[in-house]
Amino acid sequence: MCEHCDDFHRTVLLLGALALYAESPAADWDFADVVGGALATSLPEPPPGLIPPGPGEGPEYPGQGW
């Protein structure tokens, strides 16, 4: 496993839990905004292969290209 994979997955889980908390009736929205921003900023690079390549970044397929 890559060196930052555990950190990435843990941070994504924390962001998910924060999103659930923010939707609760007793949520402190200021807290959710500050912590959400901090967690999003602290995300390391995603593990290789987790996010598909953007347009023009992947392999060429038959019929593509000029």
Side-chain angles (χ1 to χ4, degrees):
M1 211 172 199
C2 68
E3 100 185 46
H4 298 292
C5 289
D6 287 339
D7 290 339
F8 181 82
H9 290 128
R10 187 178 309 113
T11 305
V12 169
L13 288 173
L14 287 170
L15 281 167
L18 183 65
L20 289 174
Y21 166 76
E23 293 297 320
S24 69
D28 179 353
W29 288 11
D30 291 332
F31 171 80
D33 283 343
V34 170
V35 173
L39 283 172
T41 301
S42 72
L43 271 172
E45 287 292 316
L50 181 68
I51 298 176
E57 295 177 6
E60 289 217 10
Y61 295 98
Q64 282 185 332
W66 304 98

